[in-house]
């Protein structure tokens, strides 16, 4: 390919809406172009990257025995209603684009395909003799993101590989899950990425177990907590830890404190000479359930701990056997709209009475009460008195008229001790999620009555797994992990081209001819080469070469008459001045050595 025919348009200035380096560089390098909020065109350079990533994914998926397919992007609402997810994906999180066709039938643009593939399995896989089966596809997906940002990291349209496996029993599912784990590790290694496998929450997908693969990067949206030796790793939603020990209250009789204006933990502690871990904070929340119920919730945490919304959502789902659409703090305005008397916000206690909900217009008139172990383990503590501007000092749980359920609801924190290895402390890192694998169990097959005939002639629901990789997100994550001040430094395996030949002066016939010969020699030897044949200044070409990040650069300049060229390694900027034949030999050896597929023993 010649640059003159590539439709390459690079930008010198950083686009105003690009916040992180990878987004900026992909826009500046002519890889992507914004069409609308969260919607991008993949330009020719980017499409080459995506095709190379997809090829690696296909090779590794095929090596596991998975079968490639292509499923419809438009999905009937009836399938999602059967699985119980339509309400959550449209009215709850609202991440599914959905519409009505001209016959009034509701359909959605698929963010995922569990419902479709489970329906197909139920119709096509009738006997245990046909199992196990894994189907996968690489396809455009859609999410109605409220705040699209960071380019391809959080877009409304994206390319994803999703696979779904079907099994006769749980043991076979676990075997496939482990095989996919190894395949994912090979994929990310071949793509030149440092990826960390972490324990994760299953979220809206559901299932018994799941694991995310994170590309470590300072710009990552996810927080990862790992032990010092790397034996434990989990994202913040899932992480558990041993919290720091609380300092007990000094001896003394229980008293009521006047605390005017002390509505936050910080203000209360500063005014009363307390430490946050001596306080039980009470958070009032409203949970909207898939059943339509609106459930007031009281959560108790130790004052130095933060609420983990995902853990709370899971606790509510398990307790009520009802999906959670959203959880939001209860406000004074909401209380007034419900026709209730004002609550003493800033002084709520664990024993806030259900009577304060009586007469509510639409809320269930009883609190669901949960407490984190860090709060329940306090023998004596300070908490709100359920009276404005008053707190209780020296309270005990056995003296309070409440019985909250014990659930881990806190965020693990950096510096906490690792639960699995108490001699290790947790370290925080940022990460970009590029893959997620799940053991779904029978969640979807049972709900959708997708069954097979066992060896004994019985009908049983499939055991299922699902396995996703964000192909377009992976491409940008690679840039986030591999760039410098001058531009992108693509890993060789996924670079749009492996080498670029830069002819410094196309008006010089000697340089032009040598550049053309090197270009043809590289193509003949199987190197994916790009020739910069533009009539631009040499400085412009060098800056563009650095910006777009081709791994190897051959510069044909003023020493062309002597048969000399410069060979530049983009990542290290190491430059060698060599005879062109020697440079060609070194380049071919480096590329062939790095692109040979390595088979990893499992």
């Amino acid at each position: 390919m010649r640059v003159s025919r590539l439709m390459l348009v690079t930008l010198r200035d950083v686009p105003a809406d690009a916040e992180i380096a990878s987004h900026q560089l992909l826009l500046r390098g002519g890889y992507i172009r914004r069409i609308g909020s969260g919607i991008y065109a993949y330009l020719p350079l980017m499409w080459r990257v995506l095709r190379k990533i997809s090829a690696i994914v296909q090779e590794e998926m095929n090596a596991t025995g998975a079968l490639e397919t292509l499923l419809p992007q438009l999905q009937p609402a009836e399938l999602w209603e059967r699985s119980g997810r339509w309400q959550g994906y449209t009215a709850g999180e609202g991440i599914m684009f959905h519409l009505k066709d001209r016959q009034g039938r509701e359909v959605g643009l698929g963010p995922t395909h569990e419902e479709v593939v489970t329906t197909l399995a139920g119709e096509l896989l009738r006997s245990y003799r046909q199992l196990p089966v894994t189907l996968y596809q690489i396809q455009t997906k859609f999410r109605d993101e409220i705040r699209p940002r960071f380019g391809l990291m959080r877009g409304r349209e994206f390319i994803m590989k999703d696979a779904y496996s079907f099994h006769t029993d749980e043991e076979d599912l676990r075997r496939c899950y482990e095989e996919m784990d190894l395949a994912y590790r090979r994929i990310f290694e071949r793509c030149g990425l440092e990826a960390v496998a972490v324990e994760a929450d299953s979220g809206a997908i559901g299932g018994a177990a799941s694991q995310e693969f994170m590309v470590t990067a300072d710009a990552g949206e996810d927080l990862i907590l790992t032990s010092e030796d790397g034996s434990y790793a989990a994202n913040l939603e899932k992480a558990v830890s041993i919290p720091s020990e609380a300092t007990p209250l000094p001896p003394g009789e229980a008293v009521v404190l006047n605390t005017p204006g002390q509505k936050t933990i910080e203000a209360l502690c500063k005014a009363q000479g307390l430490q946050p871990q001596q306080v039980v904070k009470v958070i009032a929340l409203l949970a909207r359930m898939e059943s339509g119920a609106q459930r007031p919730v009281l959560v108790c945490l130790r004052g130095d701990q933060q609420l983990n919304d995902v853990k709370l959502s899971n606790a509510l789902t398990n307790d009520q056997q009802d999906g959670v659409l959203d959880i939001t703090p209860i406000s004074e305005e909401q209380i007034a709209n419900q026709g209730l008397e004002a609550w003493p916000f800033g002084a709520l206690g664990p024993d806030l009475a259900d009577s304060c909900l009586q007469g509510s217009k639409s809320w269930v008139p009883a609190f669901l009460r949960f407490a984190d172990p860090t709060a329940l383990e306090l023998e004596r503590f300070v908490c709100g008195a359920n009276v404005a501007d008053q707190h209780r000092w020296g309270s005990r749980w056995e003296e309070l008229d409440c019985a909250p359920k014990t659930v881990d609801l806190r965020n693990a924190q950096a510096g906490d001790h690792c639960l699995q290895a108490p001699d290790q402390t947790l370290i925080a890192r940022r990460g970009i999620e590029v893959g997620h694998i799940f053991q779904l169990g029978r969640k979807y097959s049972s709900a959708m009555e997708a069954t097979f005939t066992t060896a004994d002639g019985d009908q049983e629901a499939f055991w299922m797994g699902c396995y996703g990789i964000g192909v377009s997100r992976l491409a940008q994550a690679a840039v986030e992990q591999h760039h410098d001040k001058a531009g992108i430094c693509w890993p060789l395996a996924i670079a749009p081209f492996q080498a670029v030949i830069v002819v410094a002066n196309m008006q010089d016939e000697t340089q032009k001819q040598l550049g053309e010969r090197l270009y043809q020699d590289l193509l003949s030897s199987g190197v994916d080469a790009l020739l910069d044949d533009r009539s631009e200044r040499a400085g412009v070409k060098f800056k563009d070469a650095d910006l777009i990040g081709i791994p190897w650069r051959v510069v044909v300049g003023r020493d062309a008459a002597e048969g000399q060229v410069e060979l530049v390694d983009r990542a290290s900027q190491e430059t060698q001045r060599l005879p062109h034949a020697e440079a060609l030999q070194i380049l071919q050896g480096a590329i062939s050595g790095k692109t040979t597929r390595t088979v990893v023993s499992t």
Side-chain angles (χ1 to χ4, degrees):
M1 176 62 70
R2 300 170 187 271
V3 174
S4 61
R5 307 300 301 163
L6 189 57
M7 200 177 77
L8 178 66
V9 178
T10 57
L11 305 175
R12 296 291 164 237
D13 297 324
V14 175
D17 63 337
E19 301 175 56
I20 61 175
S22 56
H23 187 194
Q24 295 168 358
L25 291 172
L26 288 176
L27 286 169
R28 289 185 54 217
Y31 282 88
I32 61 175
R33 197 80 171 185
R34 184 179 183 274
I35 302 301
S37 177
I39 304 170
Y40 289 84
Y42 308 123
L43 299 177
L45 278 176
M46 191 63 178
W47 188 240
R48 293 179 68 92
V49 173
L50 294 172
R51 287 179 62 190
K52 290 188 176 184
I53 294 171
S54 296
I56 291 172
V57 171
Q58 286 171 318
E59 286 180 18
E60 295 297 345
M61 286 295 100
N62 293 343
T64 69
L67 304 172
E68 189 168 12
T69 186
L70 188 62
L71 302 173
Q73 293 171 319
L74 274 178
Q75 303 181 29
E78 295 81 39
L79 296 183
W80 287 70
E81 287 166 349
R82 285 173 59 195
S83 71
R85 292 205 299 173
W86 180 258
Q87 186 74 1
Y89 268 72
T90 55
E93 289 187 71
I95 63 171
M96 180 188 278
F97 287 103
H98 57 287
L99 61 142
K100 286 185 179 181
D101 64 18
R102 286 186 287 184
Q103 282 74 43
R105 294 171 298 206
E106 287 191 296
V107 293
L109 278 173
T112 185
H113 277 74
E114 283 80 9
E115 283 76 6
V116 170
V117 78
T118 304
T119 299
L120 290 173
E123 294 174 356
L124 299 174
L125 303 175
R126 305 305 302 161
S127 169
Y128 73 96
R129 294 187 180 90
Q130 297 172 272
L131 301 174
V133 167
T134 300
L135 299 172
Y136 80 95
Q137 62 174 347
I138 298 176
Q139 188 198 64
T140 299
K141 306 281 192 182
F142 303 89
R143 283 176 65 98
D144 190 6
E145 291 281 1
I146 296 175
R147 290 177 294 276
R149 60 189 306 208
F150 300 154
L152 307 183
M153 293 294 192
R154 195 198 294 176
R156 305 173 83 190
E157 179 179 317
F158 52 96
I159 298 173
M160 181 176 173
K161 187 282 299 180
D162 48 326
Y164 307 89
S165 63
F166 298 86
H167 309 270
T168 56
D169 54 46
E170 188 174 13
E171 182 180 352
D172 194 51
L173 166 60
R174 287 174 179 164
R175 178 201 58 75
C176 182
Y177 184 84
E178 291 171 2
E179 190 174 16
M180 287 294 176
D181 172 58
L182 292 173
Y184 273 43
R185 293 171 192 267
R186 290 194 297 268
I187 288 168
F188 300 130
E189 182 180 357
R190 289 182 62 189
C191 289
L193 297 177
E194 290 183 24
V196 179
V198 303
E199 293 180 17
D201 182 76
S202 296
I205 301 294
S210 77
Q211 183 174 260
E212 287 176 343
F213 293 85
M214 297 281 192
V215 169
T216 54
D218 291 339
E221 289 192 276
D222 293 295
L223 186 68
I224 310 166
L225 292 170
T226 65
S227 59
E228 295 164 304
D229 63 0
S231 61
Y232 173 78
N235 68 15
L236 184 63
E237 295 175 347
K238 184 74 171 181
V240 294
S241 66
I242 301 172
S244 60
E245 290 188 13
T247 302
L249 285 175
E253 296 293 324
V255 296
V256 175
L257 304 174
N258 290 318
T259 54
Q262 298 163 31
K263 293 188 174 185
T264 66
I265 297 293
E266 182 181 5
L268 177 67
C269 290
K270 184 176 181 180
Q272 302 297 330
L274 299 169
Q275 295 184 31
Q277 64 263 40
Q278 297 171 325
V279 180
V280 169
K281 62 181 174 184
V282 179
I283 306 171
L285 304 154
L286 185 67
R288 285 197 311 129
M289 314 300 287
E290 289 183 5
S291 64
Q294 299 185 60
R295 302 295 314 241
V297 182
L298 279 187
V299 173
C300 297
L301 291 167
R302 201 172 77 184
D304 62 332
Q305 302 299 314
Q306 299 301 316
L307 177 62
N308 185 309
D309 293 335
V310 172
K311 291 181 180 179
L312 176 59
S313 179
N314 291 338
L316 284 166
T317 298
N318 294 333
D319 183 73
Q320 296 296 298
Q321 294 299 298
D322 189 4
V324 177
L325 296 180
D326 58 42
I327 305 172
T328 55
I330 293 177
S331 67
E332 294 178 352
E333 183 181 0
Q334 285 176 303
I335 291 171
N337 291 339
Q338 289 292 316
L340 303 174
E341 293 185 8
W343 295 1
F345 283 107
L348 298 181
D351 53 348
L352 182 66
D354 289 342
S355 59
C356 70
L357 293 168
Q358 297 304 312
S360 168
K361 294 178 181 178
S362 59
W363 296 352
V364 176
F367 286 111
L368 294 174
R369 300 173 189 266
F370 298 96
D372 185 79
T374 55
L376 292 173
E377 288 166 4
L378 294 175
E379 184 178 349
R380 298 165 60 249
F381 52 87
V382 176
C383 66
N386 297 319
V387 177
D389 298 328
Q390 290 189 358
H391 283 75
R392 290 169 285 190
W393 188 98
S395 291
R396 298 175 182 269
W397 285 105
E398 59 269 23
E399 296 171 356
L400 298 178
D401 185 19
C402 65
K405 295 182 178 179
T406 307
V407 183
D408 172 26
L409 297 173
R410 58 180 281 275
N411 280 333
Q413 304 176 60
D416 287 350
H417 284 276
C418 180
L419 190 62
Q420 291 75 6
D423 61 323
Q424 298 277 319
T425 56
L426 296 183
I427 300 169
R429 305 163 71 185
R430 306 302 302 186
I432 301 164
E433 181 191 344
V434 291
H436 203 155
I437 60 177
F438 303 80
Q439 293 182 40
L440 297 177
R442 292 173 162 177
K443 173 180 176 177
Y444 294 94
S445 55
S446 295
M448 305 189 73
E449 299 179 345
T451 62
F452 67 98
T453 303
T454 68
D456 297 327
D458 299 325
Q459 292 295 309
E460 288 189 4
F462 297 103
W463 288 85
M464 292 176 57
C466 74
Y467 319 91
I469 286 179
V471 173
S472 49
R473 176 182 280 199
L474 190 155
Q476 185 170 331
V479 177
E480 195 62 45
Q481 201 171 70
H482 296 280
H483 71 272
D484 58 22
K485 292 181 180 179
I488 301 169
C489 305
W490 286 111
L492 185 62
I494 63 174
F497 296 93
Q498 296 168 323
V500 57
I501 299 163
V502 178
V503 178
N505 182 6
M506 285 296 291
Q507 308 307 315
D508 184 308
E509 195 63 29
T510 302
Q511 293 184 30
K512 181 179 178 180
Q513 288 183 8
L514 181 55
E516 286 282 354
R517 186 166 66 182
L518 285 170
Y519 175 58
Q520 294 300 330
D521 288 345
L522 286 174
L523 292 180
S524 298
S525 64
V527 174
D528 196 2
L530 177 67
L531 174 63
D532 193 343
D533 58 343
R534 295 174 297 171
S535 297
E536 292 279 2
R537 297 190 311 276
V540 172
K541 293 183 177 184
F542 295 153
K543 285 186 177 180
D544 279 348
D546 279 339
L547 178 59
I548 65 176
I550 308 304
W552 290 95
R553 180 163 80 237
V554 180
V555 180
V556 181
R558 64 184 64 182
D559 295 326
E562 302 169 16
Q564 299 280 323
V565 297
E566 286 185 354
L567 181 62
V568 183
D569 181 334
R570 172 64 186 88
S572 66
Q573 289 294 330
E574 181 182 344
T575 302
Q576 303 176 68
R577 185 172 175 271
L578 302 162
H580 68 86
E582 186 178 344
L584 189 64
Q585 187 177 11
I586 292 173
L587 181 56
Q588 290 169 335
I591 289 174
S592 63
K594 290 185 180 179
T595 55
T596 300
R597 185 177 187 275
T598 302
V599 179
V600 179
S601 173
T602 61

